[in-house]
Amino acid sequence: MAFDRRTFLGTTAATGAAVALTGAASSPAAAQGESGGPAPRTYSFTVMGTTDLHGNVFNWDYFTDKEFDDKAHNDVGLAKISTLVNEVRAEKGRRNTLLIDAGDTIQGTQLSYYYAKVDPITARRGPVHPMAQAMNAIGYDAAALGNHEFNYGIPVLRKFEEQCDFPLLGANALDARTLRPAFPPYSVHRLRTPHGPDVKVAVLGLTNPGIALWDKANVQGKMTFPGLEEQAAKYVPRLRSLGADVVIVSAHSGSSGTSSYGDQLPYIENAAALVAEQVPGIDAILVGHAHTEIPEYRVKNKATGKDVVLSEPLKWGQRLTLFDFELTRSKGCWSVAKVSARVLNSNTAAEDPKITGLLSDEHRKVVAYVNQVIGTSTRAMSSAEGPVKDVAIIDLINHVQAETVKTALAGTEWAALPVLSQASCFSRTASIPAGQVTIRDAAGLYPFENTMEARLLTGAQLKDYLEYSARYFVRTAPGDAVDPAKLTNAEGIPDYNYDAVYGLAYDIDIAQPVGSRITGLSFQGKPVDPVGQFVLAVNNYRASGGGNFPHVPQARQLWANSDEIRNTIIQWVKAKGTVDPAGFASVDWRLTRAGVPVF
């Protein structure tokens, strides 16, 4: 039976408390001590956690059409997580465990895309989402909302919520009109102990305030997302007053205290450590969003001086966090004596046949879908060198975007303006083969559900934009040895936050300091006019402030599209029939040192 959100929120409205009771836990009767008296009144339990599953059930890469693998030989998917969960439950006792998630569940793979767009769960008599099926079968107790939960719109999210047997929590996801919780803020789970009184474990869910920017089209006027610290400070005391013995936060927010969108909102994107530091009464935080692995990280709370234990398991089901709690009972109360955290690696586990068998039909449908042939290519293209060279495969993305915007602006007052385009090397393993091109080939160029916009910029603003983008390269003096693997990702900047701009020609002098690297900036052979106007085809993440690039979020929007960019690429390939790089590929930017090309 699916989790009943209406009952949950009705309880919230009536009593100020939202309580979801887990299956009660039981243990053998308390053993007697050596003197014949009762053993110390103690109780141990384990909370398991995942995050950023991003639609991964199987250890499968739908873009390469083979088993997932990376340089570290990680594995992915809920089928492997299920095996680890079963092992922990067998060791600890099923009823001495809880299983929670920190969000970003229903977006990321072609499996999740298929059941949002191709065979949508929102259709009349539509299917049950594979992630709901898998998580229900594994037995999740609660999950926080991630920002990517909103990518497909609120109706898809609500249908997914309806299909889950556990609550989707979001204490800082509020109804824009009433400012009341749009989702259950928390759940409370009772664990029976050998000593009579239950242990009450509260799970508070917090999501990312960046949703208001990144999915503005889906949430504006419908939901609002205040800061994590503010909402935690509101709810943690409430949970303690309701008798919670243990308070765990499941936060779709990294631990670093940084934001990718700068100061456009008064809330910090990666605030988990700040919550631990500033809000008393929290015992542990399951961290998400940042796609990093943190087995255990302790933050001292400023008010209490006590450690709060944080842990972030690696994305896509590559790791499972274990929070081990030891409690003691004294003067009628349970108190936390010790908390520790660690992670288990899913590459040590086989896939659970219960989960793979449950979703084998869905998997086969999606494999068949992504292998549909939609066109041909005159030659092979690869993104392997995309971070350091202007390669044809990135030009393809940009060409499709620019052509789409030109068509959209035809007949408008902006039709005569030059159209440029931005794109990143989203995947260093993307490729288009010579010969037949399939949906998975085209979709693999753009693994995110971004949509497209057109923004109006000046030449001077574009120069600033490119200077900001060029921070991505490690400063390298003339004459220094060049290792392409060490030229990029300066200051931890991810590949998706380095943009190449198509339609302009320019050099990036990596011997120069940040802010003084773009040279020879030209358009059609002439220096770019600082006051000249250009149209930039840009994804909604960047247009909304993602990556904190200058000017674009404030620039005038000339056009926007609700379809994913990767669908636009797929439809373009279908319409053209043949992909010929001779029609769009050229080397318009290059890395230099003191005017000498690096390559």
Side-chain angles (χ1 to χ4, degrees), residues 163-175:
Q163 293 176 342
C164 290
D165 293 344
F166 51 90
L168 299 183
L169 307 177
N172 61 328
L174 309 182
D175 181 278

Side-chain angles (χ1 to χ4, degrees), residues 52-73:
D52 296 278
L53 292 168
H54 283 289
N56 284 280
V57 174
F58 298 84
N59 187 41
W60 192 260
D61 186 337
Y62 292 97
F63 292 135
T64 62
D65 199 26
K66 60 185 179 182
E67 185 174 298
F68 177 87
D69 194 23
D70 62 13
K71 290 181 180 178
H73 300 298

Side-chain angles (χ1 to χ4, degrees), residues 83-127:
T83 298
L84 294 178
V85 168
N86 290 338
E87 291 172 354
V88 173
R89 286 171 174 165
E91 176 189 351
K92 306 287 184 178
R94 172 66 176 86
R95 296 182 178 183
N96 298 318
T97 64
L98 294 172
L99 175 60
I100 63 176
D101 183 80
D104 275 6
T105 303
I106 60 171
Q107 172 277 338
T109 64
Q110 287 293 286
L111 179 70
S112 54
Y113 175 83
Y114 186 90
Y115 287 98
K117 291 289 189 178
V118 181
D119 185 10
I121 60 174
T122 50
R124 186 183 178 189
R125 298 179 181 175

Side-chain angles (χ1 to χ4, degrees), residues 116-434:
K117 291 289 189 178
V118 181
D119 185 10
I121 60 174
T122 50
R124 186 183 178 189
R125 298 179 181 175
V128 177
H129 198 288
M131 295 301 287
Q133 291 191 60
M135 294 173 82
N136 289 343
I138 295 169
Y140 274 78
D141 295 288
L145 295 164
N147 55 285
H148 284 289
E149 259 65 84
F150 294 84
N151 285 174
Y152 296 118
I154 292 173
V156 170
L157 175 53
R158 287 299 190 197
K159 188 64 178 181
F160 175 70
E161 180 188 28
E162 178 186 315
Q163 293 176 342
C164 290
D165 293 344
F166 51 90
L168 299 183
L169 307 177
N172 61 328
L174 309 182
D175 181 278
R177 182 178 59 85
T178 66
L179 298 184
R180 293 178 62 82
F183 295 85
Y186 57 83
S187 55
V188 179
H189 310 264
R190 294 181 182 270
L191 303 177
R192 286 192 189 146
T193 75
H195 310 296
D198 296 344
V199 168
K200 294 180 182 178
V201 181
V203 180
L204 176 68
L206 296 170
T207 192
N208 206 289
I211 295 165
L213 289 175
W214 305 324
D215 269 301
K216 182 178 179 180
N218 290 327
V219 302
Q220 187 173 35
K222 299 174 184 177
M223 293 184 190
T224 185
F225 303 88
L228 284 82
E229 299 145 85
E230 293 86 348
Q231 293 303 101
K234 174 181 177 179
Y235 280 103
V236 172
R238 181 180 301 183
L239 292 169
R240 290 297 184 182
S241 70
L242 291 171
D245 302 298
V246 179
V247 174
I248 300 169
V249 173
S250 183
H252 192 75
S253 179
S255 63
S256 64
T258 61
S259 288
S260 65
Y261 51 78
D263 58 1
Q264 294 182 62
L265 282 179
Y267 310 118
I268 293 175
E269 176 183 351
N270 295 305
L274 296 175
V275 171
E277 180 184 74
Q278 298 180 19
V279 181
I282 298 169
D283 296 299
I285 301 180
L286 177 66
V287 179
H289 182 62
H291 289 201
T292 58
E293 181 177 346
I294 305 174
E296 181 182 272
Y297 175 38
R298 292 179 177 268
V299 176
K300 194 172 294 295
N301 183 265
K302 285 185 174 181
T304 65
K306 294 181 178 179
D307 280 354
V308 181
V309 177
L310 285 68
S311 181
E312 181 176 4
L314 200 58
K315 64 186 185 297
W316 306 346
Q318 294 179 31
R319 303 290 187 273
L320 176 71
T321 278
L322 303 186
F323 291 105
D324 291 314
F325 289 85
E326 294 181 13
L327 276 61
T328 58
R329 187 166 180 83
S330 177
K331 298 180 182 179
C333 296
W334 287 108
S335 60
V336 176
K338 182 180 178 182
V339 187
S340 61
R342 55 195 169 102
V343 295
L344 302 181
N345 192 331
S346 66
N347 71 10
T348 65
E351 290 187 311
D352 184 349
K354 174 184 174 182
I355 304 302
T356 56
L358 178 68
L359 293 166
S360 59
D361 287 345
E362 287 83 350
H363 177 65
R364 282 194 293 267
K365 285 181 182 178
V366 176
V367 169
Y369 164 75
V370 300
N371 281 290
Q372 291 180 40
V373 175
I374 55 173
T376 59
S377 177
T378 59
R379 67 178 176 88
M381 294 177 280
S382 167
S383 66
E385 294 185 311
V388 295
K389 294 183 181 180
D390 186 350
V391 295
I393 202 166
I394 307 299
D395 286 346
L396 173 58
I397 298 172
N398 273 319
H399 179 74
V400 172
Q401 292 181 165
E403 189 174 279
T404 301
V405 168
K406 286 177 184 176
T407 301
L409 296 181
T412 73
E413 61 181 300
W414 317 108
L417 291 180
V419 177
L420 313 175
S421 177
Q422 62 79 222
S424 306
C425 182
F426 298 109
S427 168
R428 297 192 184 201
T429 59
S431 64
I432 296 289

